[in-house]
Structure formats: C-alpha cells, structure tokens
C-alpha cells in the first residue's frame, strides 16, 4: 500500500510524516511522532482518552483519519505546558487531586482546555457538559470538576 505524505502543525511545530491510508490520528501521533500523551482507550470514541484539539476544536483522535489534519494545527497535552511550566489546568489538577490513575487525565485536560478557551468562566454545569465525553473510573469526577473551576478562577475557590 502506498504511503501518503502528511504535513501539519503538532504542538506549535511543523511536522511531516508518511501515513498508510486509513491510519487514524491517534496512531500517527503515538507511533509516528512519538507523542504518547493521547491515550488509547476504547478505540471507538466512547472514552475520550485520545482527545486532542484540531484548530482549537475538541476531537477524538481514534476516530479522526490522520490525512484530515493536513495543513491544520493539532494540540495535545504535551503542547499545553510552557516549557517546564505547567498550564494552569495542569496545576489545578495537581492541586485538587484530580488525577488518580492518570489514564483519563490527558483527555480530561484537553476537554477542559477546549472549554476554557471558549468560555473562561464556565458554570459547574458547563464543566460537567464539557467533560461528559470522557470516562474516569477513579475520581468520581468531583475533583476534576473542582480543578477546572479552580483553573477558571485563577486558583481561587469557587462555590
């Protein structure tokens, strides 16, 4: 099978790879680029572990054909920090004990970032809606919701 050349921006830098037809973005990111932050969960779009931002919009990389990101910008969890400095969401997750086993954490953080990028002061209900496509088996969701609200308020407690 012939490979297709694919160029796009990955976490702010231009990349060029060759993909087989039908390769999903998750495989391209993990196996061809080496970005292990999007996780393989269900492989069917039901768990959110593979969430990424494509041109600022939330997408499930397991359901996205790699070829569809040609010329676009893909952001993963590895791209939201500023060098060694954590993104405010990452800091809030740590401060609020929002990550236990950590498997869902990359997808939760990306979903939360998508929310805060479009709505910097969401309500609790909006946070719940924004993370509703992500499954967490450990936290019971409350620490995650509290972390997103804390990040939105600059770390200050919110009612």
């Amino acid at each position: 099978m012939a490979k297709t050349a694919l160029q796009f921006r990955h976490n702010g830098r231009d990349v060029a790879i060759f993909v087989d037809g039908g390769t999903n973005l998750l495989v391209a990111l993990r196996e061809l680029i080496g970005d292990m932050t999007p996780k393989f969960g269900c492989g069917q779009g039901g768990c959110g572990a593979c969430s990424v931002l494509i041109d600022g919009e939330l997408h499930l990389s397991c359901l996205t054909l790699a070829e569809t990101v040609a010329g676009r910008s893909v952001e993963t969890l590895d791209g939201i920090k500023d060098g060694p400095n954590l993104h405010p969401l990452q800091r809030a997750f740590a401060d609020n004990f929002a990550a236990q086993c950590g498997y869902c954490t990359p997808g939760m953080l990306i979903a939360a970032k998508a929310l805060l990028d479009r709505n910097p002061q969401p309500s609790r209900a909006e946070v719940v809606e924004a993370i509703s496509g992500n499954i967490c088996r450990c936290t019971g969701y409350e620490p995650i919701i509290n972390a997103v609200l804390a990040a939105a308020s600059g770390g200050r407690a919110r009612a």
Side-chain angles (χ1 to χ4, degrees):
M1 174 180 287
K3 297 207 179 257
T4 302
L6 175 61
Q7 295 180 345
F8 62 99
R9 288 190 67 74
H10 171 253
N11 293 333
R13 68 179 180 92
D14 292 326
V15 296
I17 57 175
F18 289 95
V19 296
D20 291 323
T23 298
N24 68 33
L25 182 58
L26 179 61
V27 168
L29 291 169
R30 290 178 62 84
E31 296 180 12
L32 302 176
I33 294 178
D35 184 343
M36 305 304 269
T37 56
K39 302 296 183 203
F40 179 86
C42 66
Q44 300 174 351
C47 72
C50 67
S51 297
V52 298
L53 298 176
I54 301 173
D55 294 335
E57 296 293 321
L58 189 63
H59 288 268
L60 299 169
S61 63
C62 74
L63 297 181
T64 303
L65 286 175
E67 295 173 46
T68 66
V69 301
R72 300 175 78 186
S73 177
V74 177
E75 187 174 22
T76 68
L77 179 61
D78 193 45
I80 73 169
K81 65 186 183 328
D82 180 19
N85 302 316
L86 295 178
H87 186 278
L89 275 166
Q90 291 171 304
R91 174 62 36 220
F93 267 56
D95 292 346
N96 288 275
F97 306 102
Q100 288 184 18
C101 84
Y103 206 82
C104 73
T105 305
M108 288 287 188
L109 282 163
I110 291 296
K113 183 177 185 309
L115 169 65
L116 296 183
D117 284 352
R118 72 176 184 278
N119 179 2
Q121 293 295 312
S123 67
R124 177 183 166 76
E126 290 168 325
V127 172
V128 170
E129 175 66 24
I131 66 168
S132 67
N134 297 72
I135 295 174
C136 176
R137 303 270 188 230
C138 302
T139 67
Y141 298 97
E142 284 303 314
I144 296 169
I145 295 164
N146 292 337
V148 176
L149 291 171
S153 66
R156 297 177 305 279
R158 281 187 65 179

